[in-house]
Amino acid sequence: MTQNGRRKDAGSAFCNRSDSAVSASGAILLCCLLYLACAPTRPTIRPTPDNTRFRLAAPADTLKAWQLAAQGDFERAETRAAGEPLAQGLVDIYQGRLVDAERNFRAVLDSPADSAMRSHAYVGLEALLLSHERYASLESLELRAAQEHLEYDSTNRFVAEALNRLGHLEIEAATSETRLPMKLSSVGVPMVKAAANGRRAQDFWLDTGASMNVVTESFARRHGIRIVSEKTGLAGTSTQRKVTFKMGVIDTLRIDELVLRNVPVVVMRDRDLTFKLLFITLLKIDAIIGWPVISRFVATLDYPAHELVLEYYPEPRDPGTPEPGNLFFAGQPYVRVAVDSSGPLNFILDTGASTSMITRAGLGKLIATPALASGMGCIGGAGGGDAGKLRSLSGARFLVAGQELFPQTLMVHDLPAEGLAVAPDGILGEDVLRSFRVIVNAADGRLTLERDSTEE
């Protein structure tokens, strides 16, 4: 369990942020990252739910509180959420009260509540169980979801079964701090060298937006990565294409002096992570270290110095008097963002995204109506890409973790929300992070941005 703001390594229970905070590992959903100019998106495992079977028969006050919380307006939702367990559960996730969140979600599931609300409680509870590696409880939840016709797909159950058989990720660290070089890919995504199963070290993307670790089939063969289930999952992407995958495990992953054992991975076809223009290969991704690993450390991605620092604490530390966090996990890692004095909005923290973006819902939350430019572009994704008309916002001012950020162009694009307990307002990508030393502390619910002192 967690104490004093830190979670223990495996099988931990939830604790309130006053006693602890989330060290999230990531929901079954893989990710919904977008790249522009024909760079990739990665898939979401959960398919689009059949909303026609949902009925909205809840009282108006209950629905309003739920809608506010699901849209990330936690401050207003909390004033309406008294006695409304679903809305309160979402507020609890944001505030780090995870014991309370689980209790509230289970109360909704055990009640004759509106079917859409029960499905939303299932999604929230699913994220909590997976983030703390409570795989047996997760498998039971997926079985219940199938029996009760909640927002469910057989892929989720097979992933839960595979994870339950694998058990927990183990970490061996000779020292509390590991420093190693970090370079950027051709699209600006940070990468580090890591050796899988004793083979030669290869480049792994560092991707907070990937809610599972990922490798290609050829990488799995070359590095002796075991496939743990012959079942095949079917994943949707933001370009509406379908890609297949299997579940595997890296027995030993060495990152400099760190040794990780029993690392679960999603194994995808090479062609689904190879991006071409006509017959020219623009980009090929072989391996991704995602949120399940990154969240186990205090991870400092020092973009100016091209260095990664991983701090690991197997035992809880006393953080002193806890303060409200600006980072929370609800199927993806979210960071609180103010845009042009509006907000706070909830952006997915995605170091694997080369371009930041805002959704139409996020635009609707801005105080002033922005002027948008239009042009032709291409959105690429796992399995293919789509060309079409894109809109963009220029000159926006972000305020994140006390720092002002000015993305050159903020693309407008709606993101898949399947499997997410809170609808995202946008993505915070590499284009606004690369000037900073980015410190991701999932356990304490805190994102810190520090400028290079040589630039000041």
Side-chain angles (χ1 to χ4, degrees), residues 61-62 65-66 69 80-93 100-111 113 117 120-121:
D61 287 346
T62 298
W66 168 38
R80 294 173 171 262
E84 307 296 347
L86 178 54
Q88 187 59 58
L90 295 174
V91 173
D92 290 337
I93 283 183
D100 296 339
E102 181 180 6
R103 182 177 64 249
N104 279 310
F105 290 146
R106 290 195 183 278
V108 177
L109 288 171
D110 293 338
S111 73
M117 298 180 72
H120 204 105

Side-chain angles (χ1 to χ4, degrees), residues 54-60 62-63 66 112-117:
F54 291 161
R55 54 183 178 84
L56 295 174
T62 298
L63 286 175
W66 168 38
D114 177 279
S115 57
M117 298 180 72

